[in-house]
Amino acid sequence: MNEKRLSKSEWKRLEKGLCRPKRPVWPRLSAKDRKEAFLYANSYREFIDRAKTERETVKAIRDLAQKMGFMPVREAKAEDRRLLWTFKAKAAALAVIGKAPISEEIRIIASHIDSPRLDLKQNPLYEEEEMAFLKTHYYGGIKKFHWVARPLAIHGLVVKGDGSTVPIELGEGPDDPVFTINDILPHLAHKVQTEKKVSEAVPAEKLNVLIGGIPLLGPEDVKDAVRLRILKALNERYGLVEEDLISAELEVVPAGPSRDVGLDRAFVGAYGQDDRSCAYACLNSILGLEVPPVTAIALFLDKEEIGSDGNTGAKSSFFEAVVYDIMRHCGSPIKAKGLVDIFMVSKAISADVTAGIDPNYKEVHEERNDALIGHGICITKYTGSRGKYSANDAHAEYVNWLRRIWNSSGILWQAGEMGKVDEGGGGTVAKYFAQRGIDIIDAGPPLLNMHSPFEIAHKADLFMSARAYKAFYLG
Ligand code: MN
Ligand code: MN
């Protein structure tokens, strides 16, 4: 074969034209954008600090949206283009009516606002050895050993016997007491913990939250005096009786605010960045829209971490209710076929985080195909496990459409899977929208420490995700 040897410059030109380089976002940002990325991280941190649970997130979304002119759909006038829904105080949606008729297309970004945590059981309070504790039942995929020997807060609400609701937030203020789950000292841990598998080292029924230790003063022969003191304190503070705790949703979450991480402040460290990093990016994008080319919807869903079941999750009719409302608002005939027709021509992003390559655990990653921290928003064509089981697997045509939108808008993005094939896997809400006929793909920032009490996100990736979602709405 008579093949000509390429010169250095020819080689470089060919390489530049053909190869997709892997480069971090930061050096490719303008000075202005680098500044903006840090400002964005500050506003993001403010948001997640006041929105640790799905209910708090719905409230924060509603407050910000109403300030930016979004109207609850029932109160909206025909000329209103910015609409707001909340459902059961645990799911929300925002829409901005676009130029094109909704029968042509709608664009949806769906994020979730629930995060792994410990929920209080229905009969939580008990006393043992003159200490009072709360029984918990974990929610979502946690490593139980993450939750012991650390300050914890309690967030949620109690619906009292008279039907009134008491919001609870304990353990966040600088002078608030916090709560904790005791762990065994290393000196005595050998048989009960150290020799066990990590997954069994802290059994779920030992995730009991310490809540008190001073017995209520009374007659000599009484029992459970600490427990009674705690009930008395709850009664004095909130007017609660023990039975009220049955009609309650109290979530135990890591106490304290988010932090910048690193001497260069490259990262945000916080609980619940899966998936409030995406929820905030999506919120930020839709709040900034004027009149988009097609109608834009932002969905903030509950229950993703436990399979999207429940009437506030992605499998529920909440989304259909939102689209029917938009159809009514836009004067389209309310027909089931009309709804399905819209789904079939619509586009969506499942806004969810993915796993960034952790240099400590490279053995679970496929370095050529997993997301890199600081390399921008990551599109994940398919999730699932094993042979793409349970995956949506976006079509090539749709991946191409998004790629072109992002390239023409200067979005710095990467494409990745989550871990080696057969290593594990996971799912998102994508497949539930795909079922409805909508083209959808997963896209979000890569995280380290995902599902831990202190998840890590790179500020460049957070910033690029917000940009990318906006470009999707405008593309
Ligand atoms: Mn998620
Ligand atoms: Mn998750």
Side-chain angles (χ1 to χ4, degrees):
M1 221 168 87
N2 195 11
E3 195 182 326
K4 192 179 146 245
R5 189 177 288 275
L6 296 178
S7 71
K8 211 171 189 176
S9 62
E10 285 171 326
W11 183 280
K12 276 207 162 153
R13 201 177 326 120
L14 197 62
E15 200 174 46
K16 194 165 178 239
L18 298 184
C19 301
R20 182 166 203 268
K22 280 192 174 179
R23 284 192 292 156
V25 165
W26 195 254
R28 299 157 76 190
L29 292 178
S30 67
K32 184 171 166 276
D33 280 352
R34 285 199 285 265
K35 213 173 189 180
E36 249 175 58
F38 267 55
L39 291 175
Y40 175 80
N42 291 346
S43 60
Y44 163 63
R45 281 188 47 197
E46 244 169 65
F47 178 83
I48 56 173
D49 285 347
R50 68 184 176 115
K52 278 195 176 179
T53 65
E54 57 279 30
R55 286 178 191 269
E56 290 168 0
T57 309
V58 164
K59 192 173 173 303
I61 289 168
R62 193 186 53 211
D63 291 350
L64 284 170
Q66 285 189 316
K67 261 185 217 153
M68 296 291 286
F70 283 76
M71 292 292 292
V73 72
R74 297 280 164 258
E75 299 162 28
K77 297 189 189 70
E79 66 272 19
D80 284 323
R81 301 187 84 97
R82 293 156 87 77
L83 306 173
L84 158 70
W85 294 256
T86 61
F87 187 55
K88 307 278 179 196
K90 288 165 130 184
L94 300 176
V96 182
I97 307 299
K99 280 192 196 113
I102 50 169
S103 57
E104 278 178 26
E105 184 187 343
I106 54 176
R107 291 221 185 128
I108 306 127
I109 303 183
S111 61
H112 67 91
I113 54 174
D114 60 319
S115 292
R117 60 179 190 252
L118 306 177
D119 287 338
L120 292 196
K121 286 193 186 184
Q122 299 284 270
N123 300 297
L125 183 63
Y126 70 98
E127 175 174 340
E128 222 173 300
E129 311 295 345
E130 279 73 48
M131 288 179 279
F133 297 92
L134 298 166
K135 295 294 296 177
T136 66
H137 195 136
Y138 67 97
Y139 172 100
I142 63 162
K143 289 181 181 172
K144 297 175 196 89
F145 65 82
H146 278 157
W147 291 78
V148 297
R150 60 173 303 134
L152 297 168
I154 300 174
H155 291 233
L157 92 175
V158 181
V159 188
K160 294 201 286 189
D162 63 2
S164 64
T165 294
V166 186
I168 307 248
E169 191 200 281
L170 284 168
E172 297 292 354
D175 296 325
D176 263 15
V178 295
F179 311 93
T180 198
I181 295 167
N182 300 323
D183 197 10
I184 188 74
L185 63 169
H187 317 62
L188 299 178
H190 193 62
K191 274 187 251 165
V192 77
Q193 193 176 66
T194 317
E195 284 188 334
K196 287 187 177 167
K197 287 201 290 187
V198 172
S199 60
E200 291 161 8
V202 179
E205 290 295 355
K206 289 191 196 287
L207 293 176
N208 302 317
V209 176
L210 181 63
I211 191 175
I214 302 180
L216 188 66
L217 305 181
E220 289 295 320
D221 56 345
V222 291
K223 276 204 238 157
D224 288 354
V226 179
R227 183 178 181 279
L228 194 59
R229 181 185 287 277
I230 296 300
L231 281 172
K232 188 166 172 282
L234 288 172
N235 185 265
E236 283 163 3
R237 194 163 176 156
Y238 301 111
L240 301 183
V241 298
E242 190 172 22
E243 192 180 287
D244 292 332
L245 297 174
I246 295 173
S247 52
E249 282 177 343
L250 294 169
E251 303 179 6
V252 179
V253 296
S258 62
R259 303 294 296 263
D260 278 348
V261 175
L263 201 56
D264 55 3
R265 300 181 179 268
F267 310 97
V268 172
Y271 163 73
Q273 299 199 72
D274 173 7
D275 188 33
R276 284 189 277 276
S277 57
C278 297
Y280 183 70
C282 170
L283 175 68
N284 187 277
S285 307
I286 199 160
L287 291 182
L289 291 183
E290 299 290 338
V291 181
V294 300
T295 293
I297 301 178
L299 287 171
F300 306 94
L301 298 164
D302 182 26
K303 302 279 192 283
E304 193 275 347
E305 295 294 357
I306 55 169
S308 292
D309 298 301
N311 62 3
T312 46
K315 289 184 198 168
S316 78
S317 303
F318 173 54
F319 176 55
E320 274 76 8
V322 166
V323 180
Y324 273 130
D325 280 343
I326 294 173
M327 289 166 75
R328 188 182 304 112
H329 189 80
C330 295
S332 304
I334 307 298
K335 287 187 201 150
K337 179 68 167 74
L339 182 82
V340 175
D341 287 345
I342 292 174
F343 287 169
M344 296 284 184
V345 292
S346 290
K347 298 184 174 73
I349 284 179
S350 158
D352 211 339
V353 296
T354 188
I357 294 179
D358 183 342
N360 271 336
Y361 292 97
K362 278 193 173 172
E363 61 270 33
V364 304
H365 291 290
E366 200 270 85
E367 286 183 69
R368 293 175 187 87
N369 276 289
D370 280 9
L372 290 159
I373 295 292
H375 282 235
I377 186 169
C378 179
I379 56 174
T380 303
K381 187 175 178 293
Y382 44 84
T383 58
S385 55
R386 304 188 300 282
K388 298 192 178 181
Y389 185 79
S390 260
N392 149 55
D393 206 352
H395 305 297
E397 294 86 343
Y398 185 52
V399 179
N400 176 264
W401 176 85
L402 188 61
R403 176 188 148 200
R404 284 190 292 138
I405 297 279
W406 281 355
N407 284 344
S408 64
S409 323
I411 303 304
L412 305 175
W413 57 276
Q414 53 183 325
E417 295 196 15
M418 201 174 78
K420 277 180 176 163
V421 182
D422 284 350
E423 192 71 47
T428 64
V429 299
K431 59 182 174 180
Y432 308 116
F433 292 90
Q435 268 170 15
R436 291 161 160 131
I438 300 166
D439 267 328
I440 187 162
I441 187 164
D442 281 289
L447 291 190
L448 298 172
N449 297 2
M450 196 201 291
H451 280 209
S452 83
F454 196 65
E455 299 177 314
I456 299 291
H458 196 289
K459 287 182 183 175
D461 297 332
L462 294 169
F463 175 65
M464 215 26 91
S465 298
R467 281 265 168 105
Y469 295 155
K470 191 160 189 188
F472 166 81
Y473 282 140
L474 295 175

